[in-house]
Amino acid sequence: MEMTMNAYVTGLARSRPLAPIETVESRLRGFIDGRIFDRPTLVLDCDAVVAKYHALAHGLGQGTLIHYAMKANPAPEILRALAAEGCGFDAASRGEIELALAAGATAARISFGNTIKRPSDIAFAHAHGIDLFAADAEAELDKIAAHAPGARVFLRVLVGATGADWPLSRKFGCAPDTALRLMDRAAFLGLRPVGLSFHVGSQTRDPGMWSDTLDQMAEIWHAGRARGHDLNLINIGGGFPAFYGDPILEAETYAGRVGALVRARFGDATVMAEPGRGLVAEAGMIVAEVLLVSRKSEDDLCRWVYLDIGKFSGLAETMEEAIRYQFVTPHDGGETGPCIMAGPSCDSADVLYEQRPVHLPMALQSGDRILIKATGAYTTTYSSVGFNGFPPLDLIVI
Amino acid sequence: MEMTMNAYVTGLARSRPLAPIETVESRLRGFIDGRIFDRPTLVLDCDAVVAKYHALAHGLGQGTLIHYAMKANPAPEILRALAAEGCGFDAASRGEIELALAAGATAARISFGNTIKRPSDIAFAHAHGIDLFAADAEAELDKIAAHAPGARVFLRVLVGATGADWPLSRKFGCAPDTALRLMDRAAFLGLRPVGLSFHVGSQTRDPGMWSDTLDQMAEIWHAGRARGHDLNLINIGGGFPAFYGDPILEAETYAGRVGALVRARFGDATVMAEPGRGLVAEAGMIVAEVLLVSRKSEDDLCRWVYLDIGKFSGLAETMEEAIRYQFVTPHDGGETGPCIMAGPSCDSADVLYEQRPVHLPMALQSGDRILIKATGAYTTTYSSVGFNGFPPLDLIVI
């Protein structure tokens, strides 16, 4: 199995220089400017995704398995390009497995990383040769043993609070003592407990924030080995940040620091990473339109700016104003003022930024084109099927 | 125009007895029990929607125009049945206008109630004979005047906090003084300012909560008439509650009280209402499956229950745990314990109820069918296009 793994470790020899973000932006602008779009559209630069993949792979170091968290953006063009470069895929469902296979990924390059699986999806994965599954509960191990007998499993552990911009909920993972019990249980069921996984939280901008979590994981790891389990895979999940305005490290530098922290604790174990946002967010730019600029009353200090895209058609990640997207307008450079921003639907929850208004040009008006930067992740897939008669976000991959 | 309006006022002569909610539930259960569903599915009872329409119409009284807020559930079967009964439609976009027309509604029965419209959508509506538009800003009036010259407009007013379970944001409507200014502006642009609209907020369970808002509206109404505007339409929006566990009044009784409050202030003006949730929520039941029941550690007090449906595939209204859906399991009646509930996706935000755990049977296990009551509104349309490879909520109308 290790041979199969090593057959698709990141191809460092093929590493290319990473396109600087300014270059990606100017390439996207070059495509967008002068073109007419009849509805909100995400334009995604495939080369930028591939370059980011190589940067993360190079940073994390020789032997790292990168499994793209395709939920961030499963555009077939992106999946094909990543598969061709040797990237693996983390799938959460039969639907995602089918997409990865269709993109040319072999079963050995696909992990079924969801801890909540339909039994029929497990059987589907097993029938297609997929051999690596996540679990965090006994009942899940029972399902895997029944539908993918003899498979490799890694146990997801619930780690304490980290310094991520958006710490995760307690949804995934089990307590450390339970993880050890589950290793025993997996072996008893004829499965092969090969490792551990965790997730530091999305947008963890400081690589130092990984240390505590890695210490906790190493403790469980050594306890598991002491119990006789041949652990050889440490899955560090995602958390690689994208640039939304707050400073982040350059991708390769960031990955290098995280890789060093991991190797200091896990030696020659196989390291797996599951970047999603970190690979695709900065590669995309949404083209949208201003539908209305107004004030609620004459003495209103804030203007309201309504776009033709909102929470239900691509910008769901503005929820709780977590992500502060950056905007480009035709009037940039002119005088600005505070704006509350909202989407086009008849839903009062479809407000993008209200707690912390966005400063936009005073000259902005209905009909203006507006570009939304770093929107390659969690936009097309979070779109509703067509709430209020507005179609889902369109996508063009260049 | 009044003649056209009166031609489709609610047909009270055709009023039928409202199906009690127990009857609707047993009809839905009769259809569901024993059937196999291969993915999460909403089963919707068309007769129950029609019966609720007649109950609201009868309660609100002779002459009320009911325009279904189709965003709640635009299933073609529902739209056709409502259109056949004389119900009108509130549309928010070209997409919704097309659905209403396809269902057999005439243009006179369709209002374009979104205050944020694409200019091309206004032109589309105008070309199809739609003559009634909402606005809350000068720039919107400009668009309407340009693309639907001479149209009737009603001005949406921003009202103060009410007693709704979910008060609306400030997204829609303008301040009272602005509403008066906009009436003048509409007339200046050759449009016909015919009335006012507002929204008390979703799930306003106490009809008495409408009084303050109606008083505010009446003040603006009389000021507008004093300025010479021939106002004849008061659009009271939605807010009609559905039963999610907390007690509500029977629909006709509730509507009767609201109707009396409105007529006491607006006399013989035409009353328009835009129920969405109030018409369809109780008519639907989702069939789902338990994928996993687990505890994070052996001494965990709460179990985690993971379903095959979550925030991204139909249950978006659990956001902030606002709606407390009610569940039916095969083990009801047995001993229960607290559960945190979550969806199947690899997204840590896909948690349904965590702040206030749900009590479910101790015997509940992976593979059990679970029914979710009163899910006819804002479920199919809030579904994502297929986040994480999970398909959108399926729909069967019976």
Side-chain angles (χ1 to χ4, degrees):
Chain A
M1 186 47 55
E2 285 308 302
M3 271 205 54
T4 315
M5 276 183 167
N6 288 326
Y8 71 102
V9 295
T10 53
L12 298 189
R14 285 173 299 167
S15 175
R16 329 172 176 177
L18 178 63
I21 192 163
E22 295 76 21
T23 311
V24 177
E25 268 190 45
S26 64
R27 224 158 41 214
L28 291 168
R29 292 291 299 272
F31 180 86
I32 292 167
D33 290 348
R35 255 194 188 73
I36 291 171
F37 299 84
D38 66 353
R39 58 189 251 211
T41 302
L42 170 65
V43 181
L44 196 61
D45 183 334
C46 196
D47 286 349
V49 177
V50 169
K52 196 61 82 82
Y53 160 69
H54 285 295
L56 285 183
H58 201 264
L60 285 168
Q62 186 87 37
T64 303
L65 305 173
I66 297 213
H67 280 214
Y68 173 49
M70 52 197 289
K71 64 179 189 265
N73 195 321
E77 299 90 335
I78 299 295
L79 302 187
R80 279 197 300 269
L82 287 172
E85 297 290 322
C87 185
F89 297 92
D90 175 51
S93 61
R94 174 175 172 158
E96 287 195 344
I97 291 169
E98 288 173 331
L99 284 173
L101 292 170
T106 58
R109 297 191 187 189
I110 301 172
S111 49
F112 200 161
N114 194 345
T115 53
I116 309 145
K117 294 176 282 299
R118 290 174 68 123
S120 59
D121 285 7
I122 298 172
F124 177 86
H126 182 65
H128 284 79
I130 293 168
D131 181 48
L132 186 58
F133 297 82
D136 68 0
E138 203 165 302
E140 193 70 16
L141 290 175
D142 292 342
K143 286 193 278 179
I144 299 170
H147 300 284
R152 291 181 301 144
V153 292
F154 56 90
L155 301 165
R156 175 134 178 198
V157 181
L158 183 61
V159 293
T162 67
D165 278 5
W166 317 309
L168 300 179
S169 74
R170 296 177 63 242
K171 180 174 177 185
F172 303 108
C174 57
D177 62 325
T178 301
L180 292 169
R181 198 165 47 76
L182 292 180
M183 287 178 204
D184 300 346
R185 175 79 188 168
F188 172 80
L189 291 169
L191 299 168
R192 287 175 293 150
V194 293
L196 297 173
S197 78
F198 64 95
H199 200 297
V200 289
S202 208
Q203 280 294 93
T204 302
R205 289 188 285 122
D206 175 2
M209 295 296 185
W210 288 68
S211 298
D212 278 358
T213 302
L214 288 168
D215 286 341
Q216 293 175 52
M217 296 306 299
E219 201 173 310
I220 306 166
W221 177 271
H222 293 299
R225 290 179 76 107
R227 274 160 109 110
H229 299 295
D230 182 23
L231 305 184
N232 54 53
L233 176 73
I234 179 75
N235 179 344
I236 67 172
F240 303 93
F243 181 74
Y244 294 115
D246 288 322
I248 59 170
L249 289 175
E250 191 276 318
E252 186 168 337
T253 307
Y254 181 95
R257 298 212 190 148
V258 170
L261 293 171
V262 173
R263 282 175 207 290
R265 289 160 179 84
F266 296 91
D268 62 355
T270 301
V271 179
M272 175 183 281
E274 296 168 345
R277 181 188 312 282
L279 282 190
V280 292
E282 293 170 7
M285 187 177 271
I286 286 174
V287 188
E289 188 180 314
V290 176
L291 289 185
L292 181 65
V293 179
S294 67
R295 293 181 197 265
K296 297 291 169 190
S297 65
E298 280 185 24
D299 52 0
D300 215 343
L301 293 177
C302 268
R303 289 164 296 157
W304 279 72
V305 173
Y306 302 90
L307 307 182
D308 63 351
I309 181 172
K311 271 200 161 60
F312 300 103
S313 49
L315 302 183
E317 282 215 310
T318 56
M319 207 61 67
E320 295 171 14
E321 309 194 9
I323 286 198
R324 307 285 302 177
Y325 289 121
Q326 300 198 296
F327 300 91
V328 178
T329 81
H331 312 286
D332 290 350
E335 190 195 350
T336 66
C339 295
I340 297 171
M341 300 187 74
S345 73
C346 273
D347 193 307
S348 65
D350 187 12
V351 174
L352 306 173
Y353 299 113
E354 185 170 14
Q355 310 302 323
R356 254 176 74 198
V358 176
H359 279 255
L360 292 173
M362 300 305 293
L364 196 69
Q365 61 182 354
S366 169
D368 280 342
R369 173 172 284 184
I370 190 162
L371 306 179
I372 315 174
K373 289 159 73 165
T375 42
Y378 301 106
T379 48
T380 49
T381 47
Y382 274 170
S383 291
S384 77
V385 290
F387 179 63
N388 239 183
F390 295 100
L393 180 59
D394 203 7
L395 171 69
I396 297 175
V397 179
I398 61 173
Chain B
M1 188 43 61
E2 285 307 302
M3 270 203 54
T4 314
M5 274 185 168
N6 289 325
Y8 71 101
V9 295
T10 53
L12 300 189
R14 284 175 300 166
S15 174
R16 331 171 175 178
L18 178 63
I21 192 164
E22 295 76 21
T23 311
V24 176
E25 268 191 44
S26 63
R27 223 156 44 213
L28 291 167
R29 291 292 299 272
F31 180 86
I32 292 166
D33 290 348
R35 258 195 185 72
I36 290 171
F37 299 83
D38 66 352
R39 59 190 250 210
T41 302
L42 170 65
V43 180
L44 195 60
D45 183 333
C46 196
D47 286 349
V49 177
V50 169
K52 196 59 82 84
Y53 161 68
H54 285 295
L56 287 182
H58 200 264
L60 286 167
Q62 186 87 37
T64 302
L65 305 173
I66 297 212
H67 280 212
Y68 173 48
M70 52 198 287
K71 64 178 187 264
N73 195 320
E77 300 90 332
I78 299 294
L79 302 186
R80 279 198 299 271
L82 287 172
E85 297 289 321
C87 186
F89 297 92
D90 175 52
S93 61
R94 174 175 171 156
E96 287 196 342
I97 291 170
E98 289 173 330
L99 283 174
L101 291 170
T106 60
R109 298 191 185 191
I110 302 172
S111 49
F112 201 161
N114 194 346
T115 53
I116 310 144
K117 294 176 281 301
R118 290 175 70 122
S120 59
D121 285 7
I122 299 172
F124 177 85
H126 182 65
H128 285 78
I130 293 167
D131 180 48
L132 186 58
F133 298 82
D136 67 1
E138 204 165 301
E140 192 71 16
L141 289 174
D142 291 343
K143 287 193 277 178
I144 298 170
H147 301 283
R152 292 180 299 145
V153 292
F154 57 89
L155 301 165
R156 176 136 175 193
V157 180
L158 184 61
V159 292
T162 66
D165 279 6
W166 315 310
L168 300 178
S169 74
R170 296 177 64 242
K171 180 175 178 186
F172 304 107
C174 58
D177 61 325
T178 300
L180 292 169
R181 197 165 47 75
L182 292 179
M183 287 178 204
D184 300 347
R185 176 79 188 167
F188 172 80
L189 291 169
L191 299 168
R192 287 175 291 150
V194 294
L196 297 172
S197 78
F198 64 95
H199 200 297
V200 288
S202 208
Q203 281 293 93
T204 302
R205 289 187 285 121
D206 175 2
M209 296 294 186
W210 289 67
S211 296
D212 278 358
T213 302
L214 288 168
D215 287 341
Q216 293 175 50
M217 296 305 298
E219 201 173 312
I220 306 164
W221 177 272
H222 293 300
R225 290 180 74 107
R227 275 160 108 110
H229 299 295
D230 183 23
L231 305 183
N232 54 53
L233 177 74
I234 178 74
N235 179 344
I236 66 172
F240 303 92
F243 181 74
Y244 293 115
D246 289 321
I248 59 168
L249 289 175
E250 190 277 317
E252 186 168 336
T253 307
Y254 181 95
R257 299 210 188 151
V258 171
L261 293 170
V262 174
R263 281 176 207 289
R265 290 159 179 84
F266 295 91
D268 61 355
T270 301
V271 179
M272 176 183 281
E274 296 168 343
R277 182 187 310 282
L279 282 190
V280 292
E282 294 171 6
M285 187 178 271
I286 286 174
V287 188
E289 189 180 313
V290 175
L291 289 185
L292 181 64
V293 180
S294 67
R295 293 181 197 267
K296 296 290 167 189
S297 65
E298 280 186 27
D299 52 1
D300 215 341
L301 294 178
C302 268
R303 289 165 295 158
W304 279 72
V305 172
Y306 301 90
L307 307 182
D308 63 352
I309 181 171
K311 272 203 160 58
F312 300 102
S313 49
L315 302 183
E317 283 215 309
T318 55
M319 206 62 66
E320 295 171 17
E321 309 194 8
I323 286 197
R324 307 287 300 179
Y325 288 122
Q326 302 197 295
F327 300 92
V328 179
T329 81
H331 311 287
D332 290 349
E335 190 195 349
T336 67
C339 295
I340 297 172
M341 299 185 75
S345 73
C346 274
D347 193 307
S348 66
D350 187 11
V351 174
L352 306 174
Y353 299 113
E354 185 171 13
Q355 310 302 323
R356 254 176 75 197
V358 176
H359 279 257
L360 291 174
M362 300 304 293
L364 196 70
Q365 62 182 350
S366 169
D368 280 342
R369 173 172 284 184
I370 190 162
L371 305 180
I372 316 175
K373 289 157 74 165
T375 42
Y378 300 107
T379 49
T380 49
T381 46
Y382 274 170
S383 292
S384 77
V385 291
F387 178 65
N388 238 183
F390 296 100
L393 180 59
D394 202 7
L395 171 67
I396 296 176
V397 179
I398 62 174

